[in-house]
Amino acid sequence: PAATGQSTALLETLNAPWRRLSATSRSSTRLFTAYLDMTAPPSDVGPDFNHTTIYPGMENWDAVKGWAAENSNMSKTLIEVQACEVLGVPYGTDGVDPRFVERGLVALIAPEGDLTRTQFPYLKAIETISAYATAEMYRLCEDGKFDEAFKVGVANLRVLRQSCDAQMYDEKFAAMTLLAEAMSVHRDVIYAYRSKLSLDLLRQLSMKEYPFLKPRDDQRLRRIAMPEGDLWLATELLASVFDDSGQVDGEKFSKTFSGMQARSAPMTGFGAVKRWERVAGVHGSLEASTVKLNAIYDDWWRRWRMGYYEPKLGDPTVISRTNKARYAMVLLMVKDIERAFALRQRLNAALNGSVLAIG
């Protein structure tokens, strides 16, 4: 890759929030240790087999039910770690259990020094655990053990909520999507067994469980933090394509950003190098680009903390007013955080809708 760099300082910044917490406040180590002991699911977790496709009567239900029954230790672990503050998967592999590295239970920032890439293979484990929780909920409900079923289900919601506090956009977006989907699973389960569920259980779910997915009551679902880790990665990426005088290094610049563009939009790859060679000649300096990058994130940061109907949300965003040639590199690096705003609204609708449905 053209854009390379030592990410030691970046990793220290990303890991700082986790290191301020004790090991007992982070659930990932215990959760992943239990995951290593799980047997393989009947089908590979993916679009055709996941927590939204599992239900009694599905094809191969007996195998799915058997898989849930033989992995009861995961239920115990979910219930044990549900009170943790965060999932806390460390960024990088320094000090990580070699078994976790071997199985891909890691979050990789700039793998092999490529500052244009991030990889979060641990998310596959989170998807598998959530699929297990759905299978176990239905298995227990089929046996009439409704209280036990929802203990597992709510514990899984809390672990997914912990995952939503990840620092990087891609992992946060994946976790928020999984949580919204898991809430839909709970509504399906409640509807399927509505004539058999006790009023006490429904009251417990709607008044004491769903509204308070964070360990502390003062931290509601709306308190999910905006993803800011990508800002720190983008800052380091910026520095790698400028020379010592703060001006664009044309070769590094064109190779780096033509590659990024081609990766996100493959059909544009043929003309990408020429385009970025031209942009290099008019692009802003390192100082100006850094100021613009921070201004975009500061704008998102303020909007993230506003209520849904604040008049200022209708004002033009900094990114909408940014010169597309002078700051083309900055615009390419900035994640589409508007999608995170929409997903947060979806999460709140899923939560409030579930409580209302129970009522």
Side-chain angles (χ1 to χ4, degrees), residues 331-345:
L331 294 175
L332 182 64
M333 291 189 301
V334 171
K335 294 288 186 178
D336 184 8
I337 297 180
E338 285 188 3
R339 293 180 63 210
F341 278 78
L343 183 52
R344 185 177 63 164
Q345 287 181 302

Side-chain angles (χ1 to χ4, degrees), residues 64-254:
V64 174
K65 181 174 66 173
W67 173 62
E70 67 190 15
N71 288 287
S72 58
N73 185 58
M74 178 52 75
S75 289
K76 297 176 183 177
T77 302
L78 283 169
I79 293 170
E80 176 187 338
V81 302
Q82 66 176 323
C84 292
E85 292 290 328
V86 295
L87 187 66
V89 178
Y91 296 98
T93 57
D94 288 347
V96 175
D97 189 323
R99 297 176 301 164
F100 294 175
V101 177
E102 182 181 354
R103 290 286 297 274
L105 303 175
V106 290
L108 303 177
I109 306 297
E112 299 180 359
D114 185 353
L115 292 170
T116 69
R117 292 182 180 272
T118 55
Q119 297 172 353
F120 305 107
Y122 80 87
L123 289 170
K124 185 63 175 290
I126 302 300
E127 293 173 5
T128 302
I129 292 168
S130 193
Y132 161 79
T134 298
E136 182 68 351
M137 282 184 73
Y138 274 119
R139 184 185 75 85
L140 291 170
C141 285
E142 287 290 282
D143 291 341
K145 299 177 180 178
F146 302 111
D147 289 345
E148 291 90 336
F150 280 94
K151 281 182 181 178
V152 176
V154 169
N156 181 58
L157 291 180
R158 292 184 183 278
V159 169
L160 289 176
R161 176 61 185 83
Q162 294 168 18
S163 305
C164 291
D165 286 326
Q167 303 262 40
M168 303 298 291
Y169 176 89
D170 288 342
E171 56 180 338
K172 184 182 289 283
F173 196 89
M176 292 170 71
T177 301
L178 287 172
L179 180 54
E181 291 174 350
M183 288 301 308
S184 76
V185 170
H186 277 240
R187 293 193 298 275
D188 288 342
V189 175
I190 290 170
Y191 184 79
Y193 301 99
R194 63 193 183 281
S195 64
K196 300 178 181 180
L197 300 178
S198 70
L199 182 59
D200 286 341
L201 175 58
L202 293 175
R203 184 181 292 114
Q204 175 77 13
L205 292 172
S206 63
M207 300 180 68
K208 297 183 179 180
E209 300 292 0
Y210 294 158
F212 302 99
L213 294 183
K214 286 284 285 183
R216 295 189 300 273
D217 289 350
D218 62 337
Q219 302 250 357
R220 304 291 186 104
L221 190 61
R222 65 177 180 270
R223 301 299 183 187
I224 288 176
M226 193 188 84
E228 296 185 85
D230 297 273
L231 169 61
W232 303 323
L233 177 60
T235 300
E236 187 157 328
L237 176 56
L238 267 177
S240 73
V241 295
F242 285 84
D243 59 26
D244 293 339
S245 65
Q247 300 304 311
V248 169
D249 182 319
E251 184 179 0
K252 283 185 179 181
F253 185 92
S254 60

Side-chain angles (χ1 to χ4, degrees), residues 169 172-173 176-177 226-227 230 296-297 299-301 303-304 308 312-322 324 331 333-347:
Y169 176 89
K172 184 182 289 283
F173 196 89
M176 292 170 71
T177 301
M226 193 188 84
D230 297 273
I296 289 172
Y297 270 89
D299 182 41
W300 287 130
W301 188 89
R303 291 169 184 269
W304 190 263
Y308 289 137
K312 286 189 175 296
L313 287 174
D315 293 346
T317 61
V318 171
I319 197 171
S320 70
R321 302 193 304 270
T322 298
K324 291 180 172 55
L331 294 175
M333 291 189 301
V334 171
K335 294 288 186 178
D336 184 8
I337 297 180
E338 285 188 3
R339 293 180 63 210
F341 278 78
L343 183 52
R344 185 177 63 164
Q345 287 181 302
R346 177 187 170 190
L347 262 179

